[in-house]
Amino acid sequence: MKILLLAWRNVFRHKRRTLITAAAISVGLGAMVMSNTLMNGMDKIASWNIINYETGHFEIFASGYYREEGMFPLDTIIDDPEPLLAIVRDIKGISGVTERVKFPARVNNGIDEFPVLAIGIDLNTEFDVFKTNKTVVTGHFIEKPDDILIGTELANTMEVDEGSVLTIITRDKYGTYNAYDFIVAGLITTEHPLFDANAVIMDINVTQELLSLGKGVTELNIRIRDESKVPDMKEVIQSKVGADYEVYTYKELYASIFEVSGIKRVGQLMIALVVVIIAAVGIINTMLMAVMERIPEIGTLKAMGFQNHDIVKMFLYEGGIIGIFGSLLGCLYGLLLSLYIVFVGIDLSSVFDSSDLGYPLKFVLKGTIDPALVLLVFVFGVIVSVLVTLWPVRRATKLQPVDALRHV
Amino acid sequence: MTEHQLIRVPGCQRIRGAELHSPIIRLAIVLHAFCSMLFALSGEDVIRKVDANTVVGSISYSAKMLISFGGKIREKEFAGFVQGEERAYMEFTAPARDKDTRFLKIDDEMWLYIPSVEKATKIAGHMLRQSLMGSDFSYDDVVENERLLDMYEIELVGSDSVNDRETFKLQLTAKIDEVNYFYRTVWVDKETYIPVKTELYAKSGKLMKEVMVVDFKKIDGYNYPTRIIMTNKLRKDTYTELSLDKIQLDAIVPGKVFTKAYLERK
Amino acid sequence: MYIFKLALRNFFRNTRRSFISGLSVTIAIMVIIFARSYTKGITTNINENIVRLVSGHINIVTAEYKRRERLLPLSESIELNDRLYHALENDEITHVSPRIKFGVLLGEEELSVPALGYAFTPEIERDISGLDKRITEGGYISSGEKAAILGIDLAKRLNVGVGDTLTIITRTAYDSPTGINVVVKGLFETGIGGVDRSLFYIPLDIGQQLLDMESYATEIVVLVKNVDRAVSIAQEIQTETGLLAIPFQQNSLLRYINMANLIYGIFYFIILLVACSTIANTMLMVVFERTREIGMMKAMGLNTASVIGLLVVEAGFIGVIGSLAGSIAGSILSYWLKYQGIDISFASSTSSQGMPFGPIIYLSPTPFMILGTFLFGLIATVVVALLPISRVTKMEPAKALKAV
């Protein structure tokens, strides 16, 4: 106890040295926290778009609908979504559910026709799950039944703009041709070029009429409160909806895109490793210097009669205290910077500057904070600080006081 | 025929009310009755008469097809046999690139033969929705096997003039779900019973295609359409023109023609 | 000169301290060189794949084809005539390869696999897509053969192997149905999921016959001697032929590489910042540690400027040696991995789709980059040291001597 007190007083006696050392430690650790936040953000880039615009966290289909990626059979639909919606809404952890009708169609401007994937959305519940309203770059979101939203790439190819009339041609669930005129209400972009070049969005009631579906829909989309619980929730939802329906997570639906994360993860691991090394070096360097310059003190202490193990203990405590200060500081400012990234983000829109579209694409890199990791960083900082103190001090205590005193 | 339909008949006047007092009115009523008798012909009857012209036992023909797609024009020549409504065989003869491309239809199934691939390919699934040789006819338009009478409610809505010919105007509304076009309007020539103009509508009522019979031939007492133009009303400059010649009605067509072996013959 | 010698002596007198200070510089520099070589390796890998398999250095198409590119319109193709080849006769152009890109649904009966086919001249393409070096089973195709090479995963999906016959049914450029039976001559593996899962190749002449496109191609892939000249050469081709010539630098796929680079840039920045702070801290400690020493020097008559000069030179030494050591270590590591490559396929169980790079990354260090990083390390050390060193000016000898 006495030793601890001594250590504590020592630390505060040399305020400047302590501050400098703590500051040095904090820089590396703060960087670790921030890199992690950024990397979490990067991980999410791919999934954000898919979750926010295309699938939500889960999709529910009628059994047998999802045979292969890319097919949209109208014969296997959810005939009456109401009871299913009620069931899903009751499940704990669900923050929103909506219904959609997806179908292949051709969009025609009188001269040209292009194949598209048309999506009918329910304006009442769409924003419980999706953020499609944020994708509009010019014009406005769907307001009237004959409004249609079209991707910027597709609009460009078809040379249409806000106010243009487009005909959507498709076949209803019996194979009968149906066609309907829409007015382009706005142009959208999701930073997912395949989507922008292939999708059009309209009101679900119109699509149900177009396809003679009655109340039927092709899928339900679900958003849950805690994204990390997606794998667990799948079982829960599937058991509640029963065998007539199939539940898929967004990762399963877009398996091909998420396979990439394996390779990205290695890249991120390397970067993380690099940051850790640099941070560790910073701590080691600093602490080492701080300790080294006090080796003469050890000589004095020994001469005064202090035992070796007490001296070591004292230095360890000091190292620990400075380590704690530094780690606290580092985690603190790492968190502050991370919060900036989480809420404001880094604007990388300049990447898309030279876009041949003429429409500005916004791309802001955001992140999420992993509390477990912050704790880990803190512990790491303290441990390294203590360990770094340990070695030179133990060696120094073995010296004769006179040698220690002479140590420079 | 229901009362609320307004019938414009040359010589017959619209009748309102039922004042039977004056002789003029009485005459008018008689005339009306007389006209109505003429129109005792129902829509179905008209269609039956149309079918009578075209659905013949066996037909052999040769034909030319002109396809315009956004202004680009291509011409093809082919010949074929049709037996009743169930069986049809078609073989392209020109241009050289299409020579020996063959199609066989039996009931509601269709096969395609390409010389460089020795086995015939069954046209099924979404291949059915593809167009025949790039024309405005899709494979399932050709394969659609049921008769208009079975697919549609037919209403005679009046008279009209098409290219200076008097026609019956018929309104067809699908009565089963599995039809390609939910509504059709057909103008049938009163004399020849040829459907000189047909409009094909999507379920929303949007006009998608228009088929005009521009020429016909009287063969063995039948009025057979010989020049048909199908126009895509949703795309500029896009239409297909079919000209039939060398038509032999009630031809003797050997049964082996409608076999896969014949389709795949070298 | 005297200062120089003094600095040198000081440096060696306190090797341990010098060593620790220099170590952080060394490690930072080494790590930066490695990281930059790694990311450049990935970028190079992606660029190469795009050039070889997709666009070449310059990609020539008709304007209308580009507009309707999604539909793979065979009718908007380029006529391969003498005039065209004449326009492409250029000392700077090394390879010219016409290709036809076409989409088909492959498979028998129920199986309906969407695939992308390329008809190209196998002999020329040895130097371009180089698929002959990627054959895992069977052999490569030659012009005139009714044969195809398939991506290894495509073959699996279709349940075909080397020697089997594949029937291709599609439409010609004139919308007529057409088809061909080809022998599966070989299977290739590029490591790029999207390619191995969906692509197959047939000889150009066979493709032209199949699609009724004799003397036509949907695109022409051009390789040039000097990639930096691609933009101007493309311009020339465009003016002379009236076709659209897109240099690789303007390929829209690059957008994603730029994004990746930008993000990596952020991390460099962070790493650099940490490294700098370590250097700064070290220098600060040095100054404070040696306050007494500095006081003594001043008391002995050394003027402030000389003292500062001394410290700056010392910092310079640390910078030079630290940076040098780091550069050497970093270079060795990077060049070794350039030839060795890092196999990252363990990171994903199946090959990725969408990411245009294969499973082995070859680091790409350049002497220029290494020199730059070395200089940076040196300059950063000195610059960062200046602030604490400047505090020396404020020191009064008497006070300094009393410091502990």
Side-chain angles (χ1 to χ4, degrees), chain A residues 18-273:
Chain A
T18 306
L19 209 62
I20 294 174
T21 314
I25 296 174
S26 72
V27 173
L29 295 173
M32 281 170 73
V33 171
M34 202 176 88
S35 314
N36 177 259
T37 306
L38 271 175
M39 286 204 264
N40 287 340
M42 278 168 62
D43 256 348
K44 300 254 167 129
I45 293 177
S47 41
W48 271 344
N49 279 333
I50 289 170
I51 295 172
N52 290 338
Y53 308 128
E54 295 180 46
T55 62
H57 289 128
F58 296 95
E59 284 198 335
I60 303 181
F61 304 112
S63 222
Y65 179 87
Y66 189 67
R67 293 167 212 140
E68 195 182 317
E69 209 175 312
M71 299 276 124
F72 300 93
L74 289 177
D75 52 1
T76 327
I77 57 168
I78 302 173
D79 293 303
D80 187 2
E82 280 311 312
L84 198 58
L85 283 166
I87 293 175
V88 174
R89 284 206 183 97
D90 274 337
I91 302 178
K92 234 179 68 136
I94 304 278
S95 71
V97 58
T98 185
E99 46 185 8
R100 279 185 161 187
V101 172
K102 272 200 191 125
F103 62 102
R106 296 193 323 262
V107 61
N108 174 312
N109 62 0
I111 306 169
D112 255 327
E113 259 178 33
F114 282 89
V116 290
L117 182 63
I119 306 176
I121 62 172
D122 179 357
L123 288 170
N124 296 323
T125 53
E126 168 80 1
F127 305 125
D128 292 341
V129 177
F130 293 104
K131 303 205 201 302
T132 25
N133 52 339
K134 299 228 175 92
T135 61
V136 180
V137 286
T138 56
H140 57 88
F141 205 72
I142 296 172
E143 285 161 12
K144 301 189 304 293
D146 59 356
D147 278 345
I148 193 172
L149 297 175
I150 180 173
T152 46
E153 301 237 19
L154 187 55
N156 202 40
T157 311
M158 299 198 75
E159 288 166 6
V160 294
D161 210 337
E162 207 189 324
S164 305
V165 174
L166 285 178
T167 309
I168 296 290
I169 305 170
T170 184
R171 285 183 172 223
D172 75 1
K173 78 185 241 200
Y174 302 108
T176 307
Y177 282 108
N178 213 348
Y180 198 66
D181 283 347
F182 290 86
I183 302 182
V184 178
L187 269 53
I188 59 175
T189 177
T190 61
E191 296 146 23
H192 192 192
L194 227 54
F195 189 83
D196 293 348
N198 280 297
V200 294
I201 298 181
M202 61 261 267
D203 181 292
I204 198 174
N205 298 302
V206 176
T207 58
Q208 286 166 326
E209 220 181 274
L210 208 56
L211 302 169
S212 309
L213 295 179
K215 288 184 296 190
V217 299
T218 56
E219 61 211 58
L220 297 191
N221 308 84
I222 298 175
R223 178 178 281 269
I224 59 175
R225 268 184 246 286
D226 185 352
E227 198 167 297
S228 58
K229 297 246 175 10
V230 165
D232 308 318
M233 289 289 284
K234 177 177 163 160
E235 287 307 308
V236 174
I237 301 175
Q238 179 69 73
S239 58
K240 287 265 159 75
V241 300
D244 284 335
Y245 302 102
E246 288 169 354
V247 179
Y248 290 90
T249 66
Y250 67 93
K251 284 213 172 124
E252 289 166 333
L253 294 167
Y254 276 86
S256 47
I257 297 197
F258 288 104
E259 279 166 5
V260 181
S261 1
I263 290 187
K264 267 191 13 199
R265 203 160 292 137
V266 174
Q268 288 176 0
L269 214 65
M270 298 224 168
I271 293 187
L273 200 66

Side-chain angles (χ1 to χ4, degrees), chain B residues 74 76 97-98 116-117 131 133, chain C residues 171 174 176-177 179-180 212:
Chain B
R74 295 183 190 142
K76 298 183 197 292
R97 57 172 58 106
D98 292 320
S116 50
V117 180
S131 84
M133 300 301 241
Chain C
R171 309 192 137 235
Y174 296 86
S176 300
I180 193 172
D212 214 346

Side-chain angles (χ1 to χ4, degrees), chain C residues 6-36:
Chain C
L6 199 61
L8 202 61
R9 256 215 327 253
N10 275 345
F11 185 83
F12 283 108
R13 190 156 32 138
N14 221 323
T15 34
R16 188 196 4 99
R17 183 174 62 211
S18 312
F19 174 75
I20 295 174
S21 325
L23 190 65
S24 60
V25 179
T26 303
I27 295 192
I29 296 299
M30 182 170 134
V31 147
I32 291 172
I33 289 180
F34 174 81
R36 289 187 69 178

